[in-house]
């Protein structure tokens, strides 16, 4: 999770590859009207987001029921959004890709062909509610190489499993 430009798709895809898990980009679950709205430079409202979040939650449930594992890239900026996605599952983890507005703005300025315009970054940071400790998040700085970020996520997942004596593999 994180604001646009934090590297969610890149990190999630590489993490999924590293763990040999399925990867899904949360953007593919957006209804066309959400994509059109963001493409026009209009921030989404909570009303816009609920069907999108429910579609991702349904995918998480499907993967869990099948006994699979997946990494899903999704902004999940508010706790209420993450609550829809996780809905009390201890085997679903949130990974927060944390970066400064300046770093992310620089990254967005160089990105081409994405429906999310850089002008919406301020609204994303205003909406962002960083995950609280009781959400058991994995928090990583994005001011590093992709490989370093993925290694940090994997290390934190292993450490948290050992601390909790939890299942052999988290579902992210």
């Amino acid at each position: 999770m994180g604001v646009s430009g934090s590297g969610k798709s890149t990190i999630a895809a590489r993490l999924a590859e590293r763990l040999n898990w399925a990867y899904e980009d949360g953007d593919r679950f957006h209804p066309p009207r959400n994509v059109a709205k963001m493409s026009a430079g209009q921030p989404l409202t909570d009303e816009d987001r609920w069907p999108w979040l429910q579609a991702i939650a349904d995918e998480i449930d499907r993967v869990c029921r099948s006994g699979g594992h997946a990494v899903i890239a999704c902004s999940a900026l508010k706790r209420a959004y993450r609550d829809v996605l996780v809905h009390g599952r201890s085997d679903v983890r949130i990974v927060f890709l944390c970066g400064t507005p300046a770093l992310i703005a620089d990254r967005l300025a160089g990105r081409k062909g994405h429906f999310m315009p850089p002008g919406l970054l301020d609204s994303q940071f205003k909406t962002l509610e960083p995950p609280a400790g009781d959400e058991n998040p994995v928090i990583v700085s994005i001011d590093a190489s992709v490989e370093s970020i993925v290694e940090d996520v994997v290390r934190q997942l292993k450490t948290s499993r050992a601390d909790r004596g939890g299942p052999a593999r988290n579902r992210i």
Side-chain angles (χ1 to χ4, degrees):
M1 67 147 295
V3 298
S4 183
S6 61
K8 294 181 301 292
S9 298
T10 300
I11 299 301
R14 191 73 58 88
L15 180 62
E17 181 181 301
R18 165 78 188 275
L19 297 172
N20 198 28
W21 292 3
Y23 164 71
E24 290 288 345
D25 193 315
D27 286 346
R28 87 167 182 85
F29 295 91
H30 273 297
R33 70 181 177 279
N34 284 9
V35 174
K37 191 171 184 178
M38 288 183 286
S39 296
Q42 300 171 5
L44 298 179
T45 65
D46 282 350
E47 232 177 85
D48 297 322
R49 287 185 182 99
W50 297 127
W52 169 64
L53 291 164
Q54 190 57 58
I56 296 171
D58 291 346
E59 176 65 8
I60 292 169
D61 289 341
R62 185 195 67 72
V63 168
C64 290
R65 276 192 311 273
S66 73
H69 299 86
V71 179
I72 301 175
C74 171
S75 54
L77 298 176
K78 290 184 179 180
R79 181 177 188 133
Y81 305 163
R82 296 186 297 273
D83 288 346
V84 168
L85 298 174
V86 176
H87 53 280
R89 291 180 179 274
S90 63
D91 60 343
V92 176
R93 298 291 301 277
I94 297 293
V95 175
F96 176 37
L97 301 176
C98 185
T100 66
L103 174 62
I104 294 171
D106 283 347
R107 289 180 178 186
L108 283 177
R111 187 161 76 174
K112 304 288 183 241
H114 193 274
F115 63 82
M116 178 72 169
L120 291 182
L121 183 58
D122 285 342
S123 73
Q124 291 228 318
F125 271 103
K126 286 178 186 166
T127 302
L128 177 63
E129 296 172 3
D134 66 330
E135 293 180 81
N136 196 23
V138 170
I139 300 174
V140 294
S141 170
I142 62 165
D143 195 9
S145 69
V146 170
E147 290 74 25
S148 295
I149 295 167
V150 170
E151 283 302 317
D152 192 10
V153 172
V154 170
R155 181 188 53 75
Q156 288 189 55
L157 287 172
K158 286 180 181 176
T159 300
S160 67
R161 274 197 313 267
D163 290 347
R164 293 181 303 154
R169 300 181 90 180
N170 290 302
R171 289 179 175 83
I172 300 175

